[in-house]
Amino acid sequence: MSSFNCGRYSLPLGEKTYIMGILNITPDSFSDGGLWNAPEKAAVRAREMTAQGADIIDIGAQSTRPGHIEISADEEIERLGALFEVLGNLDVPVSVDTYYPKAAEFALKKGADIINDVSGVFSAEMAEAVKNYKAGWIVMHTGGGSADKVTVYEEGVTENVKSFFRKILGECKRFGIDASRVCLDPGIGFGKTYEDNLELIRRMNELKIPEIPLLAGASRKRVIGTATGVEQADKRLIGTIAAHCACMAGGADIIRVHDVAQSAESAKMCDAVYRKR
């Protein structure tokens, strides 16, 4: 059986959908900015999410929301360092959401198991850190865009994402990073139009590569608000559940979520239907 090997952990694929709980330690994230930017509160929230069913905790020290103000690698490291001082052992893999190799290496030294790389490119420096620490590496597609900047995909967004995934796996192989340490993310909400995002959710099964974990992260995003008419981001739970269920039906192995308890329950139902558990 294939697995996602990440630091101290190995997550078998095909048995269940894994829940990645979002822990934003920022003052300005789009739906929960300022809630968990005090280290002690963030540590309590991390433990709460694991109790609710999170299989992975994903720490974000910099917002990537539309209109965000970029901070430096050193500022990310300062925020991460303060949290790691009080976080303790969670008994689940800890992921750090960053595009800075310097911040990634710091987090891995502090005990992180996964780097959730939102840069949208293959970086030799990031790859070196992942390889040296035997970490898991989530690589996200952006198409050169961002939450603010949309890319035009002449061949269609699905084909562009598939091509990007093949390129990343090829680069990892050449760099000596085993495919079992790589997870692919189509980057819903990054460099895509509303229609592009819906297409990726609808055609998730075409993005799934055998034995390679696939992550879907639509939680509370603008595509949910546009589709449902719910303007307030933290009120988009029902739309998020629906979108992620469609992703799980298409083969997503990990869903990245704000609302852990509800998402874990919905994943159990989807697994019962689609994984015949």
Side-chain angles (χ1 to χ4, degrees):
M1 178 180 289
S2 57
S3 61
F4 180 35
N5 296 325
C6 44
R8 300 162 291 168
Y9 297 88
S10 182
L11 307 180
L13 301 180
E15 293 184 353
K16 61 168 286 183
T17 303
Y18 292 98
I19 306 300
M20 174 183 271
I22 298 169
L23 182 62
N24 287 320
I25 56 172
T26 62
D28 57 343
S29 290
F30 77 97
S31 74
D32 57 359
L35 291 179
W36 319 115
N37 57 328
E40 292 78 11
K41 285 186 177 180
V44 169
R45 176 59 178 159
R47 290 190 285 272
E48 180 182 48
M49 286 194 289
T50 58
Q52 291 174 340
D55 302 292
I56 304 165
I57 298 297
D58 187 45
I59 302 168
Q62 173 162 197
S63 173
T64 52
R65 66 173 175 83
H68 77 281
I69 298 173
E70 187 175 56
I71 66 171
S72 68
D74 288 337
E75 289 174 290
E76 271 197 18
I77 287 169
E78 184 177 353
R79 291 177 181 179
L80 290 168
L83 175 57
F84 275 110
E85 284 294 319
V86 297
L87 187 59
N89 183 18
L90 298 177
D91 294 321
V92 299
V94 171
S95 168
V96 169
D97 182 327
T98 187
Y99 47 75
Y100 290 126
K102 183 179 178 181
E105 184 165 10
F106 172 84
L108 293 171
K109 283 181 181 178
K110 289 292 185 179
D113 304 285
I114 300 168
I115 296 302
N116 185 5
D117 182 357
V118 296
S119 68
V121 298
F122 182 91
S123 159
E125 193 177 357
M126 188 74 86
E128 189 70 32
V130 168
K131 183 179 178 180
N132 288 344
Y133 287 88
K134 295 182 171 59
W137 192 9
I138 300 171
V139 184
M140 187 178 78
H141 174 277
T142 66
S146 66
D148 294 296
K149 178 184 174 185
V150 171
T151 301
V152 176
Y153 304 101
E154 293 183 3
E155 73 276 47
V157 68
T158 300
E159 290 304 315
N160 191 279
V161 171
K162 287 163 67 176
S163 176
F164 173 77
F165 284 176
R166 290 192 295 268
K167 178 182 177 183
I168 289 297
L169 291 174
E171 294 281 4
C172 285
K173 183 177 181 179
R174 283 188 286 275
F175 210 87
I177 296 174
D178 193 85
S180 69
R181 297 195 174 277
V182 182
C183 175
L184 300 171
D185 176 359
I188 293 168
F190 288 84
K192 282 95 177 172
T193 64
Y194 171 66
E195 291 77 12
D196 288 338
N197 289 317
L198 291 181
E199 179 179 326
L200 291 175
I201 294 169
R202 186 183 307 117
R203 300 176 66 181
M204 191 67 54
N205 64 310
E206 297 179 41
L207 305 177
K208 176 65 180 170
I209 298 172
E211 301 187 350
I212 304 296
L214 180 64
L215 183 148
S219 186
R220 300 183 181 178
K221 287 185 177 176
R222 186 161 45 191
V223 61
I224 307 293
T226 302
T228 62
V230 178
E231 293 185 8
Q232 190 172 327
D234 62 1
K235 301 296 184 184
R236 295 172 182 165
L237 171 62
I238 295 173
T240 294
I241 294 291
H244 280 160
C245 284
C247 292
M248 287 183 275
D253 299 285
I254 304 170
I255 54 172
R256 182 176 179 272
V257 305
H258 296 85
D259 301 288
V260 170
Q262 299 91 331
S263 298
E265 184 176 332
S266 70
K268 288 177 183 177
M269 186 66 216
C270 286
D271 287 345
V273 174
Y274 298 111
R275 299 186 190 273
K276 299 181 181 179
R277 300 280 308 163

